[in-house]
């Protein structure tokens, strides 16, 4: 359903529009001319032209379905806080799929690499078998298996798998740990500096969702991998330094580098649940991994890929450097996402290790 070729604007429902991906998806679909219904459970402070807030809880499905009548795509941008994945992840997904089925809409999920365990190959394609070795990974596999199973009930769905998010307000590894103390001349990296790691610049990932949503829907559950940026820690820290200096974000002198005290966090995980949850996924900083984006490119053609330095410049600016922010932000950062985000509402997001 391509808004540029149809007389009526197609409608997309973004569940969890107050979140990082939810906010970026709201912006991408609105910019592309879709009618965007932005569902949230708290007031959204700013929305792009073409988007309407749908401030409704998720537990009244008939009311939500009435309010979202005519929707052709449901984007499931909901994400329980890490420590509630065991209780909330699957029920929230069931709610999203129920709603999509009621609306006769396609269900789209941002997948992640948790489905692949510590034995994963360095390049992940859509054909790579999921070998989750963690609880959270197994829940993600179960979620996608349920999407697949619902194909027999007529649900059409898509998983677009991506690496770690950055570049849409607060709440990513970039602002919560890696560049948290940039103003003090310090950068942190959670693992060895020579392992390729998958990253997804959110405005670009949101564009990919919009591009796939604009394709005719097909029966069943489709999978696509979003390549994004793939970097070693050394490459990322060097790029941050390269971008930050001219922006005046780094004090003069050499940059100090630190790590994450995984040992301390593992030891105290029983007392600090968010540490326990983060430690479970620490292997992702040790095991080299990249997402193969060829199938996605074949399906939708070339996608906008913001160069790394530009993506970091916008992300570092969005993290609070104001001087140049007013200059030329090509993608409007929706303040809604600038609000406090979930994971780091939890006390004790990883401290940096000297
Ligand atoms: N973060 C990453 O690096 C990454 C990478 C790949 C894939 N993903 C996947 O992308 C999806 C979105 O992740 P994200 O990082 O954008 O999430 P996020 O920023 O944490 O936002 C999640 C949204 O879900 C809402 N929410 C959570 N529990 C809810 C509930 N019980 N009822 C109603 N709303 C609820 C939150 O509302 P409030 O704002 O009101 O709390 C929030 O707006 C998830 O499936 C995630 O696994 C994430």
């Amino acid at each position: 359903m391509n808004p540029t070729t149809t007389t009526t604007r197609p409608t997309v429902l973004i569940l969890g529009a107050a979140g990082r991906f939810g906010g970026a998806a709201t912006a991408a679909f609105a910019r592309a001319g879709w009618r965007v219904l932005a569902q949230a459970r708290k007031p959204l402070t700013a929305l792009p032209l073409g988007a309407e807030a749908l401030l409704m809880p998720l537990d009244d499905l008939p009311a939500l379905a009435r309010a979202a009548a005519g929707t052709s795509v449901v984007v499931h941008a909901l994400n329980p806080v890490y420590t509630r994945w065991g209780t909330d992840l699957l029920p929230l997904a069931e709610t999203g799929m129920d709603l999509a089925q009621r609306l006769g809409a396609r269900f789209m999920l941002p997948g992640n690499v948790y489905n692949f365990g510590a034995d994963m190959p360095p390049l992940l394609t859509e054909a790579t078998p999921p070998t989750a070795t963690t609880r959270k990974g197994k829940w993600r596999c179960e979620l996608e298996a349920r999407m697949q199973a619902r194909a027999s009930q007529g649900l059409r769905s898509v998983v677009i798998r991506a690496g770690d998010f950055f570049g849409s307000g607060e709440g990513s590894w970039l602002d919560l740990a890696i560049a948290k103390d940039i103003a003090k001349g310090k950068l942190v990296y959670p693992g060895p500096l020579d392992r390729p790691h998958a990253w997804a610049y959110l405005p670009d990932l949101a564009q990919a969702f919009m591009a796939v949503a604009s394709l005719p829907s097909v029966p069943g559950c489709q999978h696509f991998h979003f390549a994004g940026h793939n970097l070693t820690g050394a490459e990322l820290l060097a790029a941050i330094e390269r971008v930050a200096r001219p922006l005046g974000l780094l004090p003069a002198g050499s940059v100090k580098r630190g790590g994450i005290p995984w040992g301390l966090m593992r030891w105290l995980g029983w007392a600090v649940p968010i540490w326990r949850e983060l430690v479970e996924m620490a292997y992702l900083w040790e095991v080299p991994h990249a997402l193969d984006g060829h199938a996605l490119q074949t399906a939708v053609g070339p996608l906008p890929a913001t160069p790394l330095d530009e993506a970091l410049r916008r992300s570092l600016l969005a993290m609070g450097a104001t001087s140049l922010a007013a200059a030329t932000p090509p993608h409007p950062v929706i303040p809604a996402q600038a609000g406090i985000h979930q994971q780091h509402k939890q006390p004790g997001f990883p401290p940096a290790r000297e």
Side-chain angles (χ1 to χ4, degrees):
M1 177 80 84
N2 187 331
T4 55
T5 58
T6 61
T7 50
T8 53
R9 289 192 304 149
T11 300
V12 59
L13 171 62
I14 313 276
L15 297 176
R20 278 161 304 185
F21 178 68
T26 299
F29 278 88
R31 211 177 19 255
W34 287 64
R35 175 178 174 242
V36 182
L37 301 175
Q39 181 278 336
R41 56 184 172 180
K42 61 188 179 201
L44 295 166
T45 46
L47 281 175
L49 217 54
E52 304 151 40
L54 211 57
L55 299 184
M56 298 176 76
L58 294 170
D59 48 19
D60 186 348
L61 227 56
L64 255 175
R66 277 194 303 278
T71 291
S72 58
V73 172
V74 171
V75 173
H76 190 76
L78 296 165
N79 191 25
V81 291
Y82 245 10
T83 48
R84 293 191 59 83
W85 272 33
T87 50
D88 299 0
L89 185 81
L90 293 170
L92 274 180
E94 291 287 343
T95 300
M97 289 188 272
D98 288 346
L99 193 52
Q101 274 185 253
R102 265 175 188 264
L103 292 163
R106 194 172 358 173
F107 180 77
M108 300 187 76
L109 175 84
N112 59 25
V113 296
Y114 295 10
N115 302 52
F116 308 101
D119 59 353
M120 66 179 149
L123 184 63
L124 302 166
T125 74
E126 288 78 359
T128 306
T131 56
T133 48
T134 63
R135 292 163 310 130
K136 288 195 283 297
K138 290 178 180 142
W139 293 327
R140 295 297 298 202
C141 290
E142 173 59 22
L143 195 169
E144 295 180 28
R146 292 185 186 189
M147 288 169 67
Q148 188 68 58
R150 289 221 189 190
S152 61
Q153 300 163 26
L155 180 71
R156 296 174 173 216
S157 61
V158 184
V159 176
I160 303 183
R161 195 175 313 287
D164 271 320
F165 291 169
F166 74 103
S168 181
E170 298 176 342
S172 73
W173 274 99
L174 185 68
D175 60 284
L176 292 178
I178 296 172
K180 182 164 71 74
D181 293 327
I182 194 168
K184 301 177 192 154
K186 181 167 181 216
L187 295 176
V188 158
Y189 196 73
L193 292 171
D194 61 350
R195 315 288 160 83
H197 186 88
W199 293 91
Y201 181 55
L202 273 167
D204 289 352
L205 176 63
Q207 282 289 94
F209 266 74
M210 194 281 298
V212 172
S214 302
L215 295 176
S217 74
V218 298
C221 180
Q222 292 179 287
H223 285 79
F224 293 109
H225 283 188
F226 177 78
H229 294 283
N230 199 269
L231 306 164
T232 65
E235 289 163 341
L236 177 66
L237 298 190
I240 293 173
E241 205 175 321
R242 187 170 60 239
V243 168
R245 281 216 185 281
L247 292 174
L249 299 179
L250 272 171
S254 63
V255 172
K256 295 185 290 303
R257 291 186 174 187
I260 298 279
W262 292 115
L264 169 75
M265 292 166 65
R266 188 169 284 110
W267 187 54
L268 286 176
W270 58 271
V272 189
I274 184 74
W275 286 6
R276 179 191 67 226
E277 297 305 333
L278 289 163
V279 164
E280 186 188 40
M281 308 317 292
Y283 74 93
L284 291 172
W285 300 100
E286 300 275 343
V287 179
H289 61 281
L291 290 158
D292 182 337
H294 286 95
L296 178 58
Q297 183 130 350
T298 306
V300 297
L303 283 165
T306 308
L308 176 66
D309 286 21
E310 184 53 22
L312 286 172
R313 188 186 76 84
R314 293 180 209 158
S315 308
L316 293 172
L317 288 174
M319 272 164 61
T322 54
S323 58
L324 289 174
T328 53
H331 284 290
V333 174
I334 302 172
Q337 315 162 76
I340 294 299
H341 217 74
Q342 294 172 326
Q343 265 84 0
H344 70 286
K345 275 192 239 168
Q346 308 258 327
F349 198 88
R353 185 191 63 224
E354 292 310 316

